Amino acid sequence: MAQDTTRPVWRRPHAWLLPVVVLLVAALVGAGTGSTLALWRAELSGTARMPVGVTVFGVGAPATPGTLATYATADGQSLTFDFGPAQAAALLGSGPTGGAVAVPVQVDSLAQGHRGLTYTVTPSISGGVFGVSRWSLYKVASAAACTTGTTATAATSSTPWSTAYTSSTALVSEYWCLVARFVPATGSHTNTATVTGTPVIPGLGSPSPLTATDSWAATARATLDPAAEPTHRLTFTFATSRPGGTP
């Protein structure tokens, strides 16, 4: 999958020009028998900023943080990671033991202010070598930890950002690992045939029956073509929350 090295676009805080009204009241007391109340109204201009923060979410092959393929900046969006054709030959392997592959994925995220962020991962695997393989999805500590021998715990969700306030501008990178193992499916068939007959030879009376037995066996193995492997997908769906809400 081609990587787009475009860095994420940060959503900057909005600014509003707020009129500040100052009301000045002065009581002027004159000498003698009268008094005067005077009002002055003056307008001053100033700039006030209300930071709304940013939400960034990216999914792609392991890379330097900030250089993943796709970014999303709205709640309820999903990003996908496709795999399959590039790994099918290694997964099929050779011989009776088959093969195994580990597919690493990097997820970058950022949620500023009091905004929490959580996401779920949904695999969609059907057909081809992957479709007849045993597979599991793990959350691992790094891209290098994504191996066929990983001992990580299987998972399908993560909450990289809580609702605690943060003004961080640094992306948090997390890593996922889909491990698949293909064991060739074989079947065997054995057939045995037995024939019994009594020969008839004139002048020898009634000889004993003769029996002959023969058997044959065959082993069948499903044929899979890695070149015809369909594309499989991991879908990452994220949402944000505020304090008191459900991540």
Side-chain angles (χ1 to χ4, degrees):
M1 182 173 59
Q3 297 295 312
D4 180 357
T5 57
T6 303
R7 298 189 65 83
V9 177
W10 304 94
R11 193 166 58 213
R12 299 187 178 277
H14 298 291
W16 294 269
L17 189 64
L18 302 181
V20 180
V21 179
V22 179
L23 184 62
L24 303 178
V25 180
L28 302 182
V29 180
T33 59
S35 64
T36 301
L37 179 65
L39 301 180
W40 288 268
R41 174 184 166 93
E43 281 195 1
L44 304 179
S45 294
T47 300
R49 291 185 178 273
M50 182 178 294
V52 295
V54 298
T55 299
V56 177
F57 189 73
V59 174
T64 303
T67 61
L68 295 186
T70 308
Y71 279 89
T73 56
D75 291 356
Q77 286 194 331
S78 295
L79 300 181
T80 59
F81 178 84
D82 294 341
F83 65 97
Q87 298 88 4
L91 178 58
L92 182 65
S94 60
T97 59
V101 293
V103 183
V105 186
Q106 181 173 321
V107 176
D108 278 358
S109 64
L110 172 63
Q112 291 182 334
H114 283 289
R115 185 182 288 114
L117 186 146
T118 189
Y119 64 92
T120 58
V121 190
T122 305
S124 178
I125 299 175
S126 178
V129 186
F130 275 89
V132 296
S133 299
R134 298 192 304 267
W135 56 266
S136 297
L137 182 65
Y138 303 94
K139 189 168 181 287
V140 294
S142 65
C146 181
T147 66
T148 56
T150 181
T151 58
T153 302
T156 57
S157 65
S158 178
T159 303
W161 295 90
S162 71
T163 56
Y165 179 81
T166 179
S167 59
S168 175
T169 58
L171 295 172
V172 167
S173 295
E174 296 186 326
Y175 301 90
W176 294 80
C177 184
L178 185 133
V179 177
R181 290 181 173 83
F182 172 72
V183 177
T186 59
S188 62
H189 175 78
T190 302
N191 190 33
T192 301
T194 301
V195 177
T196 300
T198 301
V200 178
I201 302 176
L204 294 180
S206 299
S208 299
L210 298 177
T211 301
T213 300
D214 195 11
S215 63
W216 59 272
T219 299
R221 175 179 176 178
T223 300
L224 296 168
D225 182 8
E229 186 73 13
T231 296
H232 309 291
R233 176 166 292 177
L234 297 177
T235 301
F236 294 77
T237 302
F238 78 96
T240 61
S241 60
R242 296 292 187 178
T246 300

